[in-house]
Amino acid sequence: MAPVSSRPRFYHAAHLDALTARAGLSARERLRTRAVAAVLPFHVSDYVIDQLIDWDSAPDDPIYRLVFPQPDMLPDEYTELLVRLLRRNASADEIHSAARAILAKLDSHPIPRPEQHSPTLDGLRLQGITHKYPETVLYCPSGGRRYATHDVDRLTAYLRAHPAVTDLLLTGDDPLFLTANALSRRITPLLSAPGLRHIESIRIATATLARWPARFLTAPDAGELLTLFERIVRGGRNLALMAHFTHPRELRTDHAAQAARRVLDTGASIRTQGPIIRSVNDSPDIWAELWRTQTRMGMVPYYAFVERESGPREYFEVPLVRAHQIFTTAYRAVSGLCRTVRGPVMSAEPGKVVLDGIPWIHGHRYLSLRLLQCRDPSLVNLPFLARYDPAARWLDDLEPALGTAHQPPWPLLLGTRPSSARNNPAASW
Ligand SMILES: *Cc1c(COP(=O)(O)O)cnc(C)c1O
C-alpha cells in the first residue's frame, strides 16, 4: 500500500500552474485555469493528487475534472478579463474585486444560507441544530462557535423533549475533520443521558472514506475514533456513516478498502451517496460499478443525487431526464442487493424528490415524481406529474401537468430551491 500522510496536506491556487503543467496544459490554458481559479476556490488534498488522479489521462481524467478549475468553466468574456489582469500583474485587490463582480453576475440560483429552522429551547435558539424532519435532527458539530458543554446539554434537553426524533444526523463541514476527542465530547453525553433511548440512529455525513481514508488508518487518533464508533454501537445504537462517493476510483485504493473494513469492524454501517456530475460520472457503467463495488465492500448504496450548484458550477449539472436514463440503465445492470439506492433525487429545501419515471399518458410524456422525505409527512410517497421537459435540470424548471387539484405536493414544491445541505461537499478536496 502506497504510504499517505496521516493528515491531509492541501494544494491551493499557488500550486496551480505546476499542477496544470503536470496535466499537460498549454501555457495559455494554464493561464485561463488560473483566471478561473480567481473566481472558484481551489484546494485539493495530497491524497487526491497522489492516489486518485490518473495523471496520464489528465486533463480528461474524471477526478482531475472534478477537483480542478476548468479553463472553459466561466463565460469566455469573464475568463479573458481575468487573463488580462493576470498578464499585467494586477494587484491581488484588483483581481479579487473583479472576481467578486463576476461571481455576483453568475450566481443565478445561489445555494441558500443554512436553513432557518434551528429550534428553540426555553425561548433560546439552538445553534448548529436543525429539526429537519419529524424524525430527524441535524447537528453541525463543527459549525461556527467553539464547543461548549452547555451546547451539548441543550441538544440533549431538546432531544429528550422530542421523543418522535429517532435519528441524529451529524453534518455540515465534514464532522470527521474533528478530532476523536472533540467528537466524543459531543456524542458521548447523548449516549449516556437518561431519556434518550428514542435516538435509535446516529448518522455521520462524511467524504473521508473517499478523500482521506487515512482518517481511519494512520491519523494520530484513528484508533480512538474507531473505539468511539464501537462504543456507540455497543450502546445499542445504529451508527451509519453517510459516505460520499462520486467515482469508482475512490473505492479502488487499498487505503479505501482498509478504511471501510475498519469502520465496518466496529459494527457501524456505511450508506453511500453522491451526485451525478456531468463529465465526471454521467455514465451508467460508472454508477453500476460504484454500486457493485460498494456492495462487495459491505456498503449499502443509498442516494444518487441530482447535482445543483450555483453560478459557474452549473457546468456540472445533468438534465433530469438524462439523470433518470443514467440511473435506470445502471439500476438494470445490478442485482437486487444494490437496488437499495434511490434516484435521481433532488435534495430540495422542503424535502427529497425522486424522479421515478417518464410515463406515456394518452400519447404524451410526463415526468412522474415522488417525495421520499418531507417536512410534511402526509405528502411522502404520493406520485405527482410534471410536463415533460428534456432540458429541465431542477424542480424550478418544471411545470405541473394535468392540474394540481389531486397532486398535493405541487404547491409546496413550486419554485423550490436546493437544500442548503450541499449534495457535493467534496467537490473541492
Ligand atoms: C437527505 C437529508 C436528510 C436525511 O433524510 P433521509 O431520507 O432520512 O436519509 C436530512 N437532512 C437533509 C438536509 C437531507 O438532505
Side-chain angles (χ1 to χ4, degrees), residues 115 132-133 135-136 138 167 169 203 242 273 302-303 305 342 347-348 352 372-373 419 421:
E115 290 152 29
K132 175 77 191 182
Y133 305 122
E135 73 288 351
T136 304
L138 269 55
D167 285 37
L169 173 49
R203 307 197 229 173
M242 309 306 292
Q273 52 190 31
Y302 193 60
Y303 281 135
F305 290 123
R342 276 93 41 91
S347 193
K352 289 224 169 44
L372 296 174
Q373 187 58 277
S419 164

Side-chain angles (χ1 to χ4, degrees), residues 155-341:
L155 172 60
T156 310
Y158 182 81
L159 294 175
R160 196 178 290 126
H162 292 83
V165 176
T166 58
D167 285 37
L168 181 68
L169 173 49
L170 273 62
T171 177
D173 292 339
D174 203 304
L176 295 186
F177 268 71
L178 290 171
T179 62
N181 181 35
L183 211 54
S184 175
R185 273 184 290 149
R186 291 160 170 85
I187 296 179
T188 306
L190 302 168
L191 305 177
S192 47
L196 287 184
R197 289 314 306 180
H198 57 282
I199 305 301
E200 295 164 356
S201 290
I202 295 179
R203 307 197 229 173
I204 304 176
T206 182
T208 47
L209 277 170
R211 299 302 175 80
W212 182 30
R215 180 70 193 92
F216 308 95
L217 302 172
T218 54
D221 60 345
E224 216 183 312
L225 180 69
L226 295 167
T227 304
L228 172 64
F229 287 5
E230 258 167 24
R231 273 215 318 277
I232 297 171
V233 174
R234 291 233 183 90
R237 259 78 173 206
N238 172 46
L239 172 64
L241 260 55
M242 309 306 292
H244 180 95
F245 288 103
T246 43
H247 195 278
R249 199 178 300 153
E250 294 165 333
L251 297 159
R252 283 186 209 133
T253 67
D254 295 337
H255 309 90
Q258 284 200 15
R261 180 39 50 208
R262 287 205 182 168
V263 169
L264 293 172
D265 282 348
T266 68
S269 54
I270 303 172
R271 304 244 180 183
T272 62
Q273 52 190 31
I276 303 174
I277 305 174
R278 190 172 78 81
S279 81
V280 172
N281 65 11
D282 53 341
S283 105
D285 291 349
I286 289 180
W287 282 91
E289 186 183 346
L290 256 179
W291 299 332
R292 274 206 299 263
T293 310
Q294 288 163 357
T295 301
R296 176 174 57 71
M297 294 169 77
M299 309 181 193
V300 181
Y302 193 60
Y303 281 135
F305 290 123
V306 176
E307 179 79 338
R308 182 60 155 183
E309 295 281 0
S310 64
R313 293 204 186 271
E314 285 174 16
Y315 189 84
F316 288 128
E317 292 178 1
V318 175
L320 291 170
V321 167
R322 173 73 189 134
H324 180 262
Q325 210 172 41
I326 292 167
F327 181 91
T328 302
T329 309
Y331 193 81
R332 286 174 181 157
V334 298
S335 93
L337 287 182
C338 301
R339 292 186 188 165
T340 45
V341 70

